[in-house]
Amino acid sequence: MSVTSRYREAWEGFWSEAPEDEGAVFWDAEPALTVGLHLALFEPHMAAPGLPFVDVGCGNGTQTRFLADRFPRVLGLDLAAAAIEHARRADPAGQAEYRQLDAAEKSTAEQLHAELGDVNVYVRGVLHQCEPADRGPLAESLATLIGERGRAFVVEPAEAAGPLLAGLARSAGGPPPKLAPIFAHGLTPAEVADAELLDHVHAAGLTILASGEIPLSTTEFTSDGTRIELPSTWLVAGRTDVSTGSSGLNQ
């Protein structure tokens, strides 16, 4: 199954118009506030840290480049060719690799796994932006990519982020400048229920090894200068928790 053309076109349009400036995209906060915090949660559960690392939904590659400073081979994937072009322009030294592909397509995940073997995967705010019919297949692709030894770190806006974003969109002066393009391109943030996220992971045959909540930083600020943070849910998923010999949290 591949994603709908509407969804693909929405992301191509968004990234085609997105500025090149650092921090110009709503969710593109600096790595110290995003992937850096997430790695501290993820690394204790990695069974094989030396595996290739795949950033699914890499966008302009800000978080991918951070990962490439810490792991031997890092690959950023995105549905939108325009996003991949942004990422490559921002990485002239070629710290990481970037490819445009549909991660919800089963055959694509199988081909990538055949090429790379088991990988560790980072997914930030991708499932909640997918069309409902694509979320299950994407979770299954993550399971294919990590294989037996890899782990997936998934962080998504929590249900509680929906009302917060809706309130920002309805503010008297309109949505904040960096949030407005998301709605203008027909993208629908914070659409996944907390329980649905867990269901998709379990249905893909994965065990949740750890989970919790953490604020998800954005690059936008309120009128009083406060950074907008979204409540989010994170989890680490894999086949088994080899560090403890248990099957992890089966929640």
Side-chain angles (χ1 to χ4, degrees):
M1 175 180 184
S2 60
V3 300
T4 64
S5 59
R6 187 211 69 82
Y7 179 62
R8 187 190 303 274
E9 290 166 3
W11 279 110
E12 286 290 356
F14 175 86
W15 281 112
S16 293
E17 297 177 10
E20 299 279 350
D21 301 341
E22 183 176 336
V25 173
F26 181 71
W27 54 78
D28 196 34
E30 54 267 39
L33 299 177
T34 49
V35 67
L37 299 178
H38 300 151
L39 270 183
L41 301 170
F42 189 19
E43 287 183 310
H45 301 281
M46 286 185 185
L51 294 177
F53 213 117
V54 176
D55 181 8
V56 176
C58 68
N60 60 5
T62 300
Q63 318 306 320
T64 320
R65 293 189 296 278
F66 181 92
L67 292 169
D69 282 336
R70 288 153 180 81
F71 297 94
R73 184 179 184 184
V74 176
L75 174 62
L77 310 178
D78 204 278
L79 175 67
I84 295 300
E85 291 168 5
H86 271 273
R88 287 175 176 155
R89 286 195 297 269
D91 187 8
Q95 288 178 275
E97 304 169 57
Y98 306 94
R99 297 186 197 177
Q100 184 270 323
L101 56 77
D102 177 359
E105 176 61 52
K106 181 180 179 180
S107 62
T108 297
E110 291 172 343
Q111 290 167 10
L112 194 58
H113 184 263
E115 175 190 344
L116 300 177
D118 293 354
V119 301
N120 290 312
V121 172
Y122 178 64
V123 187
R124 180 175 68 106
V126 176
L127 277 166
H128 82 113
Q129 286 282 15
C130 288
E131 300 281 8
D134 295 326
R135 293 169 191 157
L138 178 57
E140 291 171 5
S141 288
L142 299 181
T144 297
L145 290 172
I146 68 174
E148 296 299 322
R149 296 183 299 148
R151 298 287 184 261
F153 183 89
V154 181
V155 59
E156 296 288 336
E159 279 183 72
L164 190 157
L165 288 168
L168 291 171
R170 293 194 300 266
S171 59
K178 294 177 187 177
L179 185 59
I182 298 173
F183 293 112
H185 285 280
L187 302 170
T188 53
E191 287 291 308
V192 178
D194 297 341
E196 182 184 345
L197 172 61
L198 302 180
D199 289 345
H200 284 311
V201 172
H202 286 140
L206 298 177
T207 296
I208 296 173
L209 308 175
S211 63
E213 298 177 354
I214 189 172
L216 197 63
S217 295
T218 76
T219 61
E220 191 60 276
F221 296 82
T222 62
S223 58
D224 65 2
T226 302
R227 184 187 293 270
I228 295 174
E229 295 182 328
L230 304 179
S232 74
T233 299
W234 65 268
L235 60 85
V236 179
R239 300 293 180 187
T240 184
D241 190 348
V242 297
S243 64
T244 65
S246 72
S247 60
L249 303 176
N250 191 18
Q251 49 185 319

